[in-house]
Amino acid sequence: MARPPTLVMEGKKPWRPRSFGSLFHRRDFWTSAAASQEVMLTRDRYPVQRLPFAEVSEEDLAFFERVIPGRVSTDPHELKLANVDWLKMVRGCSKVLLKPRTTEEVSQILRYCSERNLAVNPQGGNTGMVGGSVPVFDEIVLSTALMDRVISFDAVSGILVCQAGCILERLNQYVEERDFIMPLDLGAKGSCHIGGNVATNAGGLRLLRYGSLRGTVLGLEAVLADGLVLDCLTSLRKDNTGYDLKQLLIGSEGTLGVITAVSILCPRKPRAVNVAFLGCAGFADVLNTFSACRGMLGEILSAYEFMDHHCMRLVESHLRLSSPVRDHPRAVGVALGASRPRGLGCGHERDSGTGWHECERSGRPGLSSPGTFARTPAAP
């Protein structure tokens, strides 16, 4: 029996930086110098060996063209983009890029590849930073870029059902128009796909408030390596009927199947949002401030992000932004969201004009003014 195709979605190997410092120093080289010189082939950079998969023939290309006419690419320029990761660290040598639009097309492709013993590499937005979204050798790249249709949205429950190739930022814009937001927010939201987010169990900026995708994804549709369609695309928030197979696929990184559709629970859009940027003297202050924020702000605390001086230096050099807390080696960004503006304060505060307010009853500090900058109080 033919061996099933290799399925690789944005994985956690083959490379990780040894330290944050090395990543910051080398990343500038990857995004500038690497663009002007050829990226080394993964097979040459690492001691990996190609498994005994078949090679794509003219007959294979003819079959793919019948299944997805006009969406089979052998263009070297298009394949160059699909073969190289975002950090310009690894490069495959795939000669075929397939762009299906439907689950049935994905099923036909994978069933054929399984019978022919052809290796397949699913690819979403190719925004991964660990090299798992690109081929290692000559695997067929199966792109979900054209699977970008919103299937349904329930304005009462906030449940969104969409194809796996939908770009995260566009989904957020879609649900924002209906007074909701996506429970996930990433720096790569302008190009990453929701299917890849689920396949890698991405965390993102809103995890602190809305939790991980394991809690917000209600259902999935996926195609297994032999072409079998696994339909778990339920829209029920409470479903205790037997095995929860979607949890096996969330974070599986394409090793169990190709995710083709997602059902996800979207929270209501906050009516009032406050953001503060705080400078801290040391990491202990970062932790103390976090504890204070969780204690005083509770359920309206949406995000808490930490940056050291390496990060700030990159922000200043690449985004041309100046730090408002330059004299502090650590910085944190705090985001608050509430259903009403008054929910961001205690209702009886005395504003100090620095972004902090002091509650007249408790005497405890808190955040009040949107868009202001403040320094954290000294650690006790």
Side-chain angles (χ1 to χ4, degrees):
M1 181 179 293
R3 182 178 300 179
T6 299
L7 299 174
V8 182
M9 190 66 84
E10 302 170 348
K12 293 185 172 64
K13 287 180 174 61
W15 179 88
R16 284 191 184 280
R18 293 185 177 180
S19 67
F20 288 110
S22 64
L23 174 62
F24 294 137
H25 290 303
R26 296 173 63 185
R27 188 171 181 179
D28 180 62
F29 170 78
W30 295 336
T31 55
S32 56
S36 61
Q37 61 187 42
E38 197 70 19
V39 180
M40 183 182 296
L41 287 170
T42 306
R43 66 186 184 188
D44 296 335
R45 179 182 291 272
Y46 300 100
V48 291
Q49 190 173 11
R50 187 183 186 276
L51 295 176
F53 290 104
E55 295 184 2
V56 179
S57 65
E58 291 297 326
E59 290 78 11
D60 299 328
L61 292 177
F63 173 82
F64 296 142
E65 188 63 38
R66 289 196 299 271
V67 174
I68 50 172
R71 287 172 280 137
V72 179
S73 177
T74 56
D75 177 34
H77 176 71
E78 192 170 9
L79 282 162
K80 185 176 181 180
L81 299 176
N83 271 307
V84 180
D85 72 316
W86 185 79
L87 287 179
K88 308 295 188 296
M89 272 295 294
V90 290
R91 179 166 66 96
C93 45
S94 174
K95 298 179 176 60
V96 182
L97 173 65
L98 306 180
K99 294 179 283 187
R101 282 200 180 100
T102 67
T103 301
E104 178 57 31
E105 290 175 349
V106 175
S107 176
Q108 292 184 54
I109 291 169
L110 290 186
R111 184 183 302 114
Y112 179 84
C113 289
S114 178
E115 294 171 352
R116 281 277 295 118
N117 194 32
L118 294 169
V120 178
N121 185 109
Q123 186 176 98
N126 197 11
T127 61
M129 299 176 66
V130 291
S133 59
V134 296
V136 176
F137 298 102
D138 57 346
E139 299 92 328
I140 296 170
V141 177
L142 181 67
S143 172
T144 59
L146 299 183
M147 302 182 70
D148 58 352
R149 183 170 61 90
V150 173
I151 299 172
S152 66
F153 180 74
D154 189 328
V156 176
S157 63
I159 296 174
L160 172 73
V161 182
C162 63
Q163 288 185 300
C166 291
I167 293 175
L168 179 60
E169 186 173 37
R170 294 178 184 173
L171 287 179
N172 197 68
Q173 292 171 351
Y174 177 87
V175 296
E176 272 197 354
E177 294 172 357
R178 292 153 179 82
D179 210 24
F180 288 81
I181 61 172
M182 292 295 289
L184 177 71
D185 189 22
L186 299 170
K189 61 185 177 183
S191 52
C192 67
H193 296 181
I194 189 64
N197 298 149
V198 174
T200 56
N201 193 26
L205 305 178
R206 294 172 179 165
L207 184 140
L208 185 64
R209 181 164 185 175
Y210 301 117
S212 70
L213 286 173
R214 293 194 179 277
T216 54
V217 171
L218 303 179
L220 290 176
E221 180 185 69
V223 181
L224 306 185
D226 61 355
L228 178 67
V229 177
L230 183 64
D231 187 359
C232 300
L233 200 60
T234 178
S235 297
L236 296 175
R237 290 194 63 181
K238 183 179 184 295
D239 184 359
N240 51 9
T241 55
Y243 300 108
D244 193 0
L245 295 179
K246 72 174 184 295
Q247 293 296 342
L248 291 174
L249 291 161
I250 298 174
S252 65
E253 300 173 348
T255 57
L256 299 179
V258 179
I259 295 173
T260 55
V262 179
S263 172
I264 191 165
L265 178 65
C266 300
R268 292 299 295 260
K269 180 180 177 180
R271 302 278 183 187
V273 176
N274 276 15
V275 177
F277 202 68
L278 315 176
C280 299
F283 191 67
D285 290 338
V286 174
L287 297 179
N288 290 331
T289 304
F290 177 65
S291 297
C293 286
R294 293 196 72 173
M296 292 184 294
L297 304 174
E299 67 280 356
I300 67 171
L301 179 61
S302 297
Y304 188 91
E305 295 291 318
F306 157 71
M307 292 183 287
D308 61 11
H309 64 283
H310 293 295
C311 294
M312 291 307 306
R313 189 165 64 243
L314 286 174
V315 169
E316 291 176 348
S317 61
H318 291 282
L319 300 182
R320 304 294 186 266
L321 299 174
S322 59
S323 172
V325 290
R326 187 184 297 273
D327 53 337
H328 285 73
R330 306 287 188 272
V332 294
V334 182
L336 312 178
S339 58
R340 54 192 179 92
R342 192 176 180 84
L344 291 173
C346 61
H348 40 77
E349 60 266 11
R350 182 175 62 249
D351 198 331
S352 65
T354 62
W356 289 94
H357 73 261
E358 183 176 316
C359 176
E360 293 181 341
R361 295 185 184 178
S362 66
R364 295 185 304 177
L367 291 170
S368 60
S369 302
T372 58
F373 302 101
R375 299 174 182 174
T376 59

